[in-house]
Amino acid sequence: MFTYLLIVALASQMFCGCTAETVEIQPVSAAQSRPFRNMPKKYGPHKLIDNNFKTQTITEYLASDWEAGTWVTVHLGAEFCVETVEIWYFLDLPKYKSTFTCTNDEIWCHSCEGYCAKKAPLLISVYTEDYTGSLSAPPPDNGCTRGDSVKFHNMHAHILTMYELKVFVRVEE
C-alpha cells in the first residue's frame, strides 16, 4: 500500500508543478464532527478530498457540545512528512485559498498565507493515529511534521465549510 501511495505521489509531481522534494498526495479517507443538516451525501467529509471544486464539505457543531467546536480529519494512508496544507474555501480561487506550513517544532501547522479565514481560525495538526510517544518532542524532519492524519479544528464552534484540501509531503530518499 505504501509503495502504491509513493508511486502516486511521484506521478502527481509531473502534474502539480511541485518541486523535486515535495509532492501532493491524495488522502484516502475523511471524517467530520457532524455533516451540515445531517446530510452526509451532500456535505460529507468525502467531498473535501474528491478533487471536485464544485462540491463542498460543511461541518456543523452539536448544540449540546458547542465548546468542542467543529472538526474534519483526513487520513493519508501511511505516515508522511507533511510540509504544507492548502484549504480552498470558495470558488473564487485563489483569493480564498489558505496555505498552512507545518514544521517539526510542534504538531500544529502555523504560518498561514492567503485567506486564513479570520472569522473561523483553524487549528491544524498533523499526527499519527494511535501514537504512544511524546507529542512534545517529535523526531527532527528538517521543516515538516510527520504523521498519517491531518485534523482541522475550529474551536469557535462555527460552521466549517471547505471546498477542497491539498496536502503536500516531502519525498524521503
Side-chain angles (χ1 to χ4, degrees):
M1 180 71 172
F2 178 75
T3 305
Y4 172 74
L5 289 172
L6 189 56
I7 290 170
V8 170
L10 291 173
S12 71
Q13 178 179 352
M14 294 184 296
F15 301 110
C16 76
C18 304
T19 65
E21 298 95 20
T22 305
V23 296
E24 178 186 346
I25 61 164
Q26 179 69 31
V28 296
S29 65
Q32 70 188 141
S33 53
R34 177 187 161 119
F36 182 67
R37 295 186 178 164
N38 227 4
M39 299 171 66
K41 287 184 180 179
K42 187 170 184 177
Y43 301 116
H46 61 285
K47 300 291 185 175
L48 184 61
I49 59 173
D50 65 357
N51 284 321
N52 182 351
F53 286 97
K54 294 180 181 179
T55 63
Q56 60 185 318
T57 182
I58 303 178
T59 304
E60 67 182 356
Y61 66 94
L62 295 170
S64 61
D65 193 19
W66 70 272
E67 289 181 347
T70 54
W71 56 266
V72 175
T73 301
V74 295
H75 303 284
L76 306 178
E79 189 174 277
F80 290 98
C81 195
V82 178
E83 285 189 339
T84 56
V85 176
E86 291 181 359
I87 301 171
W88 300 76
Y89 291 101
F90 302 104
L91 293 178
D92 188 10
L93 306 176
K95 181 179 178 181
Y96 294 108
K97 177 183 86 167
S98 295
T99 302
F100 292 85
T101 302
C102 307
T103 65
N104 61 331
D105 297 335
E106 52 185 82
I107 63 170
W108 304 108
C109 299
H110 295 290
S111 180
C112 184
E113 295 179 19
Y115 180 62
C116 302
K118 295 186 179 22
K119 291 187 178 184
L122 295 177
L123 293 174
I124 298 177
S125 60
V126 177
Y127 62 96
T128 299
E129 291 275 334
D130 302 322
Y131 180 69
T132 58
S134 169
L135 292 178
S136 61
D141 279 312
N142 301 322
C144 55
T145 302
R146 185 169 277 294
D148 66 2
S149 300
V150 181
K151 185 172 188 172
F152 307 87
H153 198 161
N154 180 354
M155 294 300 294
H156 295 287
H158 296 289
I159 291 176
L160 179 57
T161 302
M162 297 183 282
Y163 279 80
E164 281 302 312
L165 167 75
K166 303 292 180 186
V167 178
F168 296 92
V169 302
R170 179 170 297 156
V171 177
E172 299 175 313
E173 297 178 16

